[in-house]
Amino acid sequence: MAAVLKAFRSGHLSLYGIRSLHCKPTRILCQSPCKSSYQRRLFTNKNLIVELDSSTGLAVIQMKKPPVNSLSLEFLTEFAISLEKLEMDRECRGVVITSSVPKIFSAGLDINEMYGKTPEHTGEFWRAVQEIWLKLYGSNLVTIAAINGMSPAGGCLLAMTCDYRIMADNPKYAIGLNETKLGIVAPFWFKDTMINTIGRRATEYSLQLGIMYSASEALENGLVDQLVAQDKIMPTALSVMSEWLAIPDHARQITKSMMRKPTLDRLLANRESDIQAFVNFITKDSIQKSLQLYLEMLKQRKS
């Protein structure tokens, strides 16, 4: 297992961008399938619950890393391996990504992975962040984000990689790339993903001010596609998934590749320089001091 983890972290055991197209048998997703054809496979690890229904081709990934589903190196590695398994499984055609932690989808990157660490560790962590984005943004699967809580920074990025985003209609929940408020600059591929989602001007405004949008604001600017009551998120995700899975896989996958490949290729062509730029930036004394102050603030809140 250690060898597999190392290979994923180094990027040597991955399928980048849109995978080579493979058509899977088309099945119509039924919210209440007959018991005779109802086959669930469940596999879990420390940070994720992954369940695949072979009768419908639908998988659900639940993030379960309390208190806030922070994206640590370990979490990202487990997520990448789980996605790879689903991509290679001929029974799987779509995946819903959600959270089992109350009121939180994901709070984003784990600050502890960036504070007080060696340049080598920081680079390994950033490669894992790149990896999860490459896998999700370039996935052949239909991907739906069921955003059932707060989703700042990296949590927003995860949601934006998906084909469709459903968010709980709760005034206490917000979503956005708020890196500048921590003194951090969102990298170019975060920016590109947001431009592809809400447009250039809205992205420039959002990134400079580190704006967190309420659910209603996110719906208005296209950051999410649909708002529903908290208890309706998963039923709605199933209904939406049925619409997407009704489309022949090959046609949908080619169309997705046509739209997303230029954005994926840009990171692939600049992956090593992006890692080096991140390491150089995050290890600066001024940035480390800013991260330290933020961590101390979090500790005070907990106490």
Short mmCIF file of all heavy atoms in Angstrom, two decimals, residues 107 109-112 152 178 181-182 184 287-301:
data_model
loop_
_atom_site.label_atom_id
_atom_site.label_comp_id
_atom_site.label_asym_id
_atom_site.label_seq_id
_atom_site.Cartn_x
_atom_site.Cartn_y
_atom_site.Cartn_z
N ALA A 107 -13.70 22.66 3.93
CA ALA A 107 -13.11 23.97 4.23
C ALA A 107 -11.86 24.24 3.41
O ALA A 107 -11.22 25.28 3.58
CB ALA A 107 -12.79 24.07 5.72
N LEU A 109 -7.96 23.53 1.61
CA LEU A 109 -6.63 22.99 1.88
C LEU A 109 -6.28 23.04 3.36
O LEU A 109 -6.61 24.00 4.06
CB LEU A 109 -5.58 23.76 1.08
CG LEU A 109 -5.77 23.82 -0.44
CD1 LEU A 109 -4.60 24.54 -1.08
CD2 LEU A 109 -5.94 22.43 -1.02
N ASP A 110 -5.62 21.99 3.82
CA ASP A 110 -5.21 21.90 5.22
C ASP A 110 -4.01 22.82 5.44
O ASP A 110 -2.92 22.57 4.92
CB ASP A 110 -4.84 20.44 5.54
CG ASP A 110 -4.65 20.21 7.03
OD1 ASP A 110 -4.35 21.17 7.75
OD2 ASP A 110 -4.79 19.04 7.45
N ILE A 111 -4.21 23.87 6.23
CA ILE A 111 -3.14 24.85 6.47
C ILE A 111 -1.93 24.19 7.13
O ILE A 111 -0.78 24.59 6.89
CB ILE A 111 -3.65 26.00 7.36
CG1 ILE A 111 -4.85 26.70 6.70
CG2 ILE A 111 -2.55 27.02 7.62
CD1 ILE A 111 -4.54 27.34 5.39
N ASN A 112 -2.16 23.15 7.92
CA ASN A 112 -1.05 22.47 8.59
C ASN A 112 -0.09 21.81 7.61
O ASN A 112 1.06 21.52 7.96
CB ASN A 112 -1.60 21.41 9.56
CG ASN A 112 -2.27 22.03 10.76
OD1 ASN A 112 -1.63 22.72 11.56
ND2 ASN A 112 -3.56 21.79 10.91
N PRO A 152 -15.51 26.94 1.28
CA PRO A 152 -14.53 27.95 0.90
C PRO A 152 -13.32 27.35 0.19
O PRO A 152 -13.06 26.15 0.29
CB PRO A 152 -14.12 28.55 2.25
CG PRO A 152 -14.23 27.39 3.20
CD PRO A 152 -15.41 26.58 2.71
N ASN A 178 -11.56 32.21 -1.44
CA ASN A 178 -11.26 33.34 -0.55
C ASN A 178 -9.79 33.39 -0.13
O ASN A 178 -9.45 33.91 0.93
CB ASN A 178 -12.15 33.28 0.69
CG ASN A 178 -11.92 32.02 1.53
OD1 ASN A 178 -11.44 31.01 1.02
ND2 ASN A 178 -12.27 32.08 2.79
N LYS A 181 -7.81 36.52 1.38
CA LYS A 181 -8.05 36.93 2.77
C LYS A 181 -7.07 36.27 3.74
O LYS A 181 -6.92 36.73 4.88
CB LYS A 181 -9.49 36.64 3.17
CG LYS A 181 -10.48 37.55 2.46
CD LYS A 181 -11.90 37.33 2.93
CE LYS A 181 -12.84 38.32 2.26
NZ LYS A 181 -14.25 38.12 2.66
N LEU A 182 -6.41 35.20 3.29
CA LEU A 182 -5.37 34.55 4.10
C LEU A 182 -3.98 34.96 3.64
O LEU A 182 -2.99 34.42 4.12
CB LEU A 182 -5.51 33.03 4.00
CG LEU A 182 -6.84 32.43 4.43
CD1 LEU A 182 -6.83 30.91 4.26
CD2 LEU A 182 -7.16 32.79 5.87
N ILE A 184 -2.90 34.49 0.61
CA ILE A 184 -2.48 33.49 -0.36
C ILE A 184 -3.07 33.84 -1.73
O ILE A 184 -4.17 34.39 -1.82
CB ILE A 184 -2.94 32.08 0.06
CG1 ILE A 184 -2.32 31.71 1.42
CG2 ILE A 184 -2.56 31.03 -0.98
CD1 ILE A 184 -2.84 30.39 1.98
N ILE A 287 4.70 34.86 4.47
CA ILE A 287 3.55 33.99 4.29
C ILE A 287 3.45 33.00 5.45
O ILE A 287 2.35 32.72 5.96
CB ILE A 287 3.63 33.24 2.95
CG1 ILE A 287 3.73 34.23 1.79
CG2 ILE A 287 2.43 32.31 2.77
CD1 ILE A 287 2.57 35.21 1.72
N GLN A 288 4.60 32.49 5.89
CA GLN A 288 4.59 31.57 7.04
C GLN A 288 4.05 32.28 8.29
O GLN A 288 3.31 31.70 9.08
CB GLN A 288 6.00 31.03 7.29
CG GLN A 288 6.44 29.99 6.27
CD GLN A 288 5.68 28.69 6.39
OE1 GLN A 288 5.74 28.02 7.41
NE2 GLN A 288 4.95 28.33 5.34
N LYS A 289 4.40 33.54 8.45
CA LYS A 289 3.91 34.31 9.59
C LYS A 289 2.40 34.48 9.49
O LYS A 289 1.68 34.36 10.50
CB LYS A 289 4.59 35.68 9.62
CG LYS A 289 4.18 36.56 10.80
CD LYS A 289 4.59 35.95 12.13
CE LYS A 289 4.27 36.88 13.29
NZ LYS A 289 4.61 36.27 14.61
N SER A 290 1.91 34.75 8.29
CA SER A 290 0.47 34.90 8.09
C SER A 290 -0.28 33.61 8.40
O SER A 290 -1.33 33.62 9.05
CB SER A 290 0.20 35.33 6.64
OG SER A 290 -1.18 35.44 6.39
N LEU A 291 0.29 32.48 7.98
CA LEU A 291 -0.32 31.18 8.27
C LEU A 291 -0.31 30.88 9.77
O LEU A 291 -1.27 30.33 10.32
CB LEU A 291 0.39 30.07 7.50
CG LEU A 291 0.29 30.13 5.97
CD1 LEU A 291 1.09 29.01 5.34
CD2 LEU A 291 -1.16 30.07 5.51
N GLN A 292 0.79 31.26 10.41
CA GLN A 292 0.89 31.06 11.86
C GLN A 292 -0.20 31.83 12.60
O GLN A 292 -0.87 31.29 13.50
CB GLN A 292 2.26 31.50 12.37
CG GLN A 292 2.44 31.32 13.87
CD GLN A 292 3.76 31.89 14.36
OE1 GLN A 292 4.47 32.59 13.63
NE2 GLN A 292 4.10 31.59 15.59
N LEU A 293 -0.40 33.07 12.22
CA LEU A 293 -1.43 33.89 12.85
C LEU A 293 -2.82 33.31 12.63
O LEU A 293 -3.67 33.32 13.53
CB LEU A 293 -1.37 35.33 12.31
CG LEU A 293 -0.12 36.13 12.69
CD1 LEU A 293 -0.11 37.47 11.96
CD2 LEU A 293 -0.05 36.34 14.21
N TYR A 294 -3.04 32.78 11.43
CA TYR A 294 -4.34 32.18 11.13
C TYR A 294 -4.58 30.93 11.98
O TYR A 294 -5.67 30.74 12.53
CB TYR A 294 -4.41 31.83 9.65
CG TYR A 294 -5.72 31.20 9.24
CD1 TYR A 294 -6.88 31.96 9.16
CD2 TYR A 294 -5.80 29.84 8.92
CE1 TYR A 294 -8.09 31.40 8.79
CE2 TYR A 294 -7.00 29.26 8.55
CZ TYR A 294 -8.14 30.04 8.49
OH TYR A 294 -9.34 29.47 8.13
N LEU A 295 -3.55 30.10 12.12
CA LEU A 295 -3.69 28.89 12.93
C LEU A 295 -3.93 29.24 14.41
O LEU A 295 -4.71 28.58 15.09
CB LEU A 295 -2.44 28.00 12.78
CG LEU A 295 -2.30 27.30 11.43
CD1 LEU A 295 -0.92 26.65 11.32
CD2 LEU A 295 -3.40 26.26 11.24
N GLU A 296 -3.25 30.28 14.88
CA GLU A 296 -3.44 30.70 16.26
C GLU A 296 -4.87 31.21 16.46
O GLU A 296 -5.48 30.97 17.52
CB GLU A 296 -2.43 31.78 16.61
CG GLU A 296 -1.00 31.26 16.74
CD GLU A 296 0.01 32.38 16.96
OE1 GLU A 296 -0.39 33.57 16.86
OE2 GLU A 296 1.19 32.05 17.19
N MET A 297 -5.40 31.92 15.46
CA MET A 297 -6.77 32.39 15.54
C MET A 297 -7.75 31.23 15.63
O MET A 297 -8.72 31.25 16.39
CB MET A 297 -7.10 33.26 14.33
CG MET A 297 -8.51 33.81 14.32
SD MET A 297 -8.93 34.61 12.74
CE MET A 297 -8.99 33.18 11.65
N LEU A 298 -7.49 30.17 14.83
CA LEU A 298 -8.36 29.00 14.86
C LEU A 298 -8.33 28.32 16.23
O LEU A 298 -9.36 27.86 16.75
CB LEU A 298 -7.95 28.00 13.78
CG LEU A 298 -8.17 28.42 12.34
CD1 LEU A 298 -7.69 27.34 11.39
CD2 LEU A 298 -9.65 28.71 12.08
N LYS A 299 -7.15 28.25 16.83
CA LYS A 299 -7.03 27.65 18.15
C LYS A 299 -7.80 28.45 19.19
O LYS A 299 -8.44 27.88 20.09
CB LYS A 299 -5.56 27.56 18.56
CG LYS A 299 -4.77 26.52 17.77
CD LYS A 299 -3.31 26.49 18.21
CE LYS A 299 -2.52 25.48 17.42
NZ LYS A 299 -1.07 25.45 17.81
N GLN A 300 -7.75 29.76 19.08
CA GLN A 300 -8.49 30.60 20.02
C GLN A 300 -9.99 30.41 19.87
O GLN A 300 -10.73 30.39 20.86
CB GLN A 300 -8.11 32.08 19.79
CG GLN A 300 -6.69 32.42 20.22
CD GLN A 300 -6.32 33.85 19.87
OE1 GLN A 300 -7.12 34.60 19.31
NE2 GLN A 300 -5.08 34.23 20.20
N ARG A 301 -10.44 30.23 18.63
CA ARG A 301 -11.87 29.99 18.40
C ARG A 301 -12.31 28.70 19.06
O ARG A 301 -13.38 28.60 19.65
CB ARG A 301 -12.17 29.94 16.90
CG ARG A 301 -12.16 31.29 16.21
CD ARG A 301 -12.53 31.11 14.76
NE ARG A 301 -12.51 32.38 14.04
CZ ARG A 301 -12.76 32.49 12.74
NH1 ARG A 301 -13.01 31.40 12.01
NH2 ARG A 301 -12.74 33.67 12.14
#
